[in-house]
Amino acid sequence: MSVDTLTIPTQCVPQSRISELDFNNIEFGKIFADHMLVADYKDGAWQNPEIKPYGNMSLSPATSALHYGQAIFEGMKAYKNADGDILLFRPLDNFKRLNISGDRMCIPELPEEIFMQGLEQLLRLDAAWVPPTPGCALYIRPFIFATDDFIGVRPSSSYRFVVFSCPVGAYYGQPLRVAIEPNYVRSAEGGAGYAKAAGNYGAALYPARKMQERGYHQLIWTDSREHKYIEESGTMNVMFVIDGKIVTPAVSTTILSGITRDSVLQIARDKGIPVEERKVAVSEIVEAHKAGKLQEAFGTGTAATIAQIATIHYNGEDMDLPAIEGREISNGIAAELDRIKTGQAPDPHNWIYKISL
């Protein structure tokens, strides 16, 4: 599969930095590939896409994104198959969601050809940075931010689109201890919780840090009205296995429509595992744990794929869950997803975008 409608000018680095990378010891988000894609929106159109060496950008102190938060992003991963082809997982879904987020943040729609052709050219150029190591991938970060030099609350008239990448290993090095958040709110109805907007993540840092100081890795967010219903876990969608059935909050204006979430649920249905997308009450999780029916809990997202939850804290008590190695449903789905992403299993839903080198 390829995109041939646009050829993007490219400036290559004089010498690659890939020798700095130890493929057997990759930290998440610490070293970046050689090149990046950049395009600007001005005079009413996206224009001048180019691929250039990864590096710093010069910004005015008055750049409006820094003051008013008009910034959105995506996260996606690339893998290599046994033939050395690069495999992107559901990139068109990331593209569509980027524009959904953009619409909510008054950012002009990005053309598909810039996104897809830019990705294809960028990944061909930096193909050596896609790790061959099992459990690792090339993490890809597309983002858009407002660039007007203007101090005043209004949508910007200019924007910059950038894509850069970094080889990554596991996002979480251990099963998670999470705490149900009874006071702070990630998102409220009518807000921008369904968008991957930068401000959503900035506002979540303080309550997350307070729980981390108490020995928990992440939060489970609850609804803004009553704090009775579960929404997300940290930066991930969250799922529970109760009595052999996957139960997860339905997506809404307060919950991000996760691509990994959708993939996990589709594989579950393919395997005949019952799935319920609905409101999930905190009390239901507590009662299921007391009854011995809460078999598994896990987060889903691009960075972690499936992040196993070992302990859930609520109302002063820790609820310890069954051992990770015995979790047949989430471990089975994670393994199947990994095989599809790396070309080791059939792709019945056409999720893979292959770039042949």
Side-chain angles (χ1 to χ4, degrees):
M1 196 182 295
S2 63
V3 180
D4 300 315
T5 57
L6 180 69
T7 300
I8 296 174
T10 299
Q11 176 190 349
C12 296
V13 295
Q15 184 173 352
S16 175
R17 293 178 289 100
I18 199 166
S19 61
E20 301 172 15
L21 179 63
D22 177 2
F23 279 106
N24 295 310
N25 185 26
I26 303 176
E27 288 189 76
F28 200 102
K30 290 290 184 71
I31 185 169
F32 305 101
D34 289 323
H35 301 91
M36 62 184 184
L37 168 69
V38 178
D40 289 307
Y41 182 90
K42 55 186 179 181
D43 301 325
W46 286 101
Q47 52 192 280
N48 301 325
E50 59 176 333
I51 293 172
K52 58 199 292 187
Y54 175 87
N56 295 340
M57 295 181 289
S58 177
L59 298 175
S60 161
T63 299
S64 57
L66 302 178
H67 301 271
Y68 308 116
Q70 251 191 303
I72 58 173
F73 68 95
E74 275 296 323
M76 50 202 301
K77 284 181 176 177
Y79 306 81
K80 276 186 178 172
N81 64 11
D83 297 325
D85 301 318
I86 295 173
L87 306 181
L88 275 170
F89 186 71
R90 303 186 67 171
L92 284 169
D93 292 293
N94 289 100
F95 164 72
K96 291 171 185 174
R97 192 172 64 183
L98 184 73
N99 276 329
I100 288 171
S101 299
D103 181 65
R104 181 61 178 84
M105 302 304 291
C106 294
I107 294 173
E109 183 174 347
L110 182 76
E112 182 178 328
E113 62 180 5
I114 291 179
F115 186 90
M116 292 305 299
Q117 182 62 30
L119 275 178
E120 185 159 331
Q121 286 189 217
L122 184 65
L123 290 174
R124 286 181 185 277
L125 192 59
D126 284 339
W129 288 84
V130 182
T133 316
C136 298
L138 186 71
Y139 186 87
I140 302 162
R141 171 51 57 89
F143 67 104
I144 302 175
F145 65 98
T147 55
D148 274 6
D149 298 343
F150 178 75
I151 298 299
V153 183
R154 70 175 191 196
S156 180
S157 61
S158 64
Y159 299 86
R160 174 158 288 187
F161 168 59
V162 182
V163 182
F164 66 90
S165 65
C166 56
V168 296
Y171 190 72
Y172 294 112
Q174 59 186 312
L176 302 181
R177 289 169 49 81
V178 302
I180 294 175
E181 175 53 56
N183 299 306
Y184 292 98
V185 171
R186 176 192 170 272
S187 178
E189 293 179 14
Y194 67 91
K196 283 189 76 71
N200 289 344
Y201 296 80
L205 295 176
Y206 177 72
R209 186 178 69 179
K210 287 175 69 70
M211 278 301 178
Q212 287 160 4
E213 290 170 350
R214 295 174 55 187
Y216 299 93
H217 299 101
Q218 272 296 352
L219 302 176
I220 290 183
W221 299 104
T222 51
D223 69 286
S224 62
R225 288 188 178 183
E226 301 175 284
H227 294 289
K228 288 184 177 180
Y229 296 97
I230 286 170
E231 299 221 319
E232 295 189 13
S233 178
T235 59
M236 303 178 290
N237 296 112
V238 63
M239 299 186 183
F240 306 92
V241 177
I242 300 175
D243 210 13
K245 177 171 52 185
I246 293 179
V247 178
T248 189
V251 295
S252 66
T253 59
T254 63
I255 297 175
L256 184 73
S257 181
I259 293 165
T260 304
R261 173 191 182 277
D262 180 74
S263 305
V264 166
L265 296 181
Q266 184 60 62
I267 290 175
R269 292 184 175 107
D270 292 346
K271 290 176 174 291
I273 299 167
V275 171
E276 290 184 2
E277 298 179 71
R278 56 171 172 79
K279 280 192 171 185
V280 180
V282 173
S283 60
E284 178 183 358
I285 300 306
V286 173
E287 289 165 11
H289 180 263
K290 287 180 179 178
K293 295 182 178 182
L294 182 58
Q295 299 161 298
E296 307 180 21
F298 54 95
T300 65
T302 298
T305 303
I306 284 181
Q308 295 285 2
I309 294 173
T311 301
I312 301 173
H313 178 87
Y314 179 65
N315 199 25
E317 295 185 8
D318 283 346
M319 297 181 285
D320 294 323
L321 276 64
I324 307 302
E325 56 269 20
R327 299 183 181 185
E328 294 182 4
I329 289 179
S330 53
N331 287 336
I333 291 173
E336 181 68 10
L337 258 179
D338 185 64
R339 287 192 292 268
I340 292 171
K341 289 176 177 180
T342 54
Q344 299 174 67
D347 176 27
H349 302 289
N350 295 315
W351 288 337
I352 299 301
Y353 185 98
K354 184 169 75 172
I355 301 174
S356 299
L357 302 176

